Amino acid sequence: MGSLKVTLCAGVAVVAAVLTPAAYAADGGGGISVNPASPAPGAEVALRVTGCAERTASAVSAAFVTDVKLTVTGEEGTLVGESRIRSSLEIGSYDVTVTCGDTERTVALPVGKTPSTPASPVAPVKAGGGGAAAHIAADNDARTTGPGIAQTVTGLVLASVAATAVALRSARRSRRTD
């Protein structure tokens, strides 16, 4: 029964290995990904290219402010680079051409419109602080006035106890060495 499980698992692994490259190549981008997928004019974009045997490549598009130099990272030869979308660019689709050695791959990059208002949370999440956050916010003037008389007296008493302990200890050590 054990060899049947091993054979079945090996068969599934072979089928997965055979089908994965075909599904990956069918995306039309040939291993090119742009993040964000539909940037607004003026936005920064990050490019990732897989399946290139070279250590460097370049990406060119009319949408980019400058050409992108892609360099290899430690992630199994993935090439990465960054650029900015032209701020004066019209909304539409622009080709991004990646040159890797002697091969060129092209993917379409849809450029969307700029949002009318900046993104902000509708209902901010109460994050951390527990019950202390409201107390600290209400007691904000305590930081500007400094310590009170009770804190000052306590600090002076503790400092004098520490100084006395150090003086007594050094006096005992000096008696032992004589």
Side-chain angles (χ1 to χ4, degrees):
M1 186 70 174
S3 64
L4 179 64
K5 288 182 183 178
V6 171
T7 305
L8 184 60
C9 289
V12 169
V14 168
V15 170
V18 169
L19 294 180
T20 301
Y24 186 74
D27 68 354
I32 303 170
S33 65
V34 182
N35 189 17
S38 181
E44 290 192 27
V45 292
L47 279 85
R48 295 177 57 89
V49 177
T50 58
C52 178
E54 303 292 323
R55 304 228 3 119
T56 61
S58 63
V60 180
S61 176
F64 297 155
V65 172
T66 61
D67 295 347
V68 182
K69 180 179 179 182
L70 303 165
T71 56
V72 72
T73 64
E75 300 176 14
E76 302 175 11
T78 302
L79 298 171
V80 296
E82 294 180 348
S83 186
R84 182 178 294 275
I85 302 295
R86 295 180 191 275
S87 58
S88 61
L89 200 63
E90 295 292 324
I91 296 170
S93 182
Y94 296 87
D95 286 342
V96 176
T97 303
V98 175
T99 305
C100 176
D102 295 335
T103 61
E104 283 189 353
R105 294 184 255 174
T106 303
V107 65
L109 175 65
V111 176
K113 63 180 180 179
T114 306
S116 59
T117 59
S120 64
V122 175
V125 177
K126 294 181 180 178
H135 175 69
I136 290 171
D139 196 29
N140 199 14
D141 63 334
R143 283 186 247 166
T144 58
T145 59
I149 293 175
Q151 289 91 0
T152 304
V153 170
T154 303
L156 288 175
V157 168
L158 290 174
S160 63
V161 168
T164 305
V166 170
L168 289 174
R169 186 173 176 114
S170 64
R172 285 183 188 161
R173 283 190 180 193
S174 66
R175 286 186 201 156
R176 286 187 207 164
T177 58
D178 289 342

